[in-house]
Amino acid sequence: MTESRELVAHPHGPRPYAGAAVFGGVIWACGQVPARRDGSVPEEIDEQVRVALDNLEDTLRAAGGSLRTLLKLTVFLADLGEFDVYHQAYLDRFAGIDLPPRTTVQVAGFRGTKRIEIDAVAAVGSEETNRHED
């Protein structure tokens, strides 16, 4: 039997692209930016991190996953000079969750005032079935 991919609509409304694709039990999320549902973007990088991760969580849930099922993150920053503030906001958001592998790179720029984008791959599954048991 051939498995087919499932495209998941963007959880914040119509976009010209899917919010995620699911194939073989893996979720491939679209890049998550720090835009709120109303289109506004926070000014400070720590708040941009929080909003981008909230958007990621919404996308993963819509596709059948969660932050706990993350397999890999790639984070694009406009300025690696903001790494320490970004990293602390990241750690705060993932408190109590095993951290997935992550790559962080600087990019030349983003549209508007966005300074971060997060690309993620996750497994399909619930938080309960993917908790690490000690």
Side-chain angles (χ1 to χ4, degrees):
M1 182 167 111
T2 303
E3 192 168 352
S4 63
R5 75 178 175 153
E6 172 192 355
L7 296 179
V8 179
H10 197 284
H12 296 170
R15 301 285 195 278
Y17 51 85
V22 179
F23 183 82
V26 178
I27 302 166
W28 306 86
C30 68
Q32 303 295 310
V33 295
R36 297 180 181 112
R37 287 180 186 260
D38 67 3
S40 67
V41 175
E43 191 172 316
E44 300 299 323
I45 188 64
D46 57 340
E47 185 61 20
Q48 286 198 19
V49 172
R50 284 189 280 278
V51 171
L53 288 170
D54 287 347
N55 291 342
L56 174 59
E57 185 172 31
D58 291 346
T59 297
L60 294 175
R61 284 187 177 162
S66 72
L67 293 178
R68 290 186 183 276
T69 68
L70 282 166
L71 300 173
K72 174 77 166 83
L73 292 172
T74 303
V75 180
F76 304 93
L77 290 178
D79 181 0
L80 278 178
E82 297 180 318
F83 182 88
D84 291 339
V85 175
Y86 138 75
H87 182 65
Q88 187 58 57
Y90 176 89
L91 292 176
D92 291 346
R93 185 63 174 81
F94 279 91
I97 299 174
D98 291 334
L99 295 173
R102 177 186 76 180
T103 301
T104 304
V105 296
Q106 181 172 312
V107 297
F110 295 99
R111 292 183 300 152
T113 58
K114 298 175 192 84
R115 300 190 334 248
I116 187 171
E117 184 166 350
I118 301 172
D119 184 47
V121 178
V124 173
S126 70
E127 291 186 20
E128 291 74 32
T129 59
N130 288 285
R131 288 182 198 252
H132 175 70
E133 298 297 326
D134 293 321

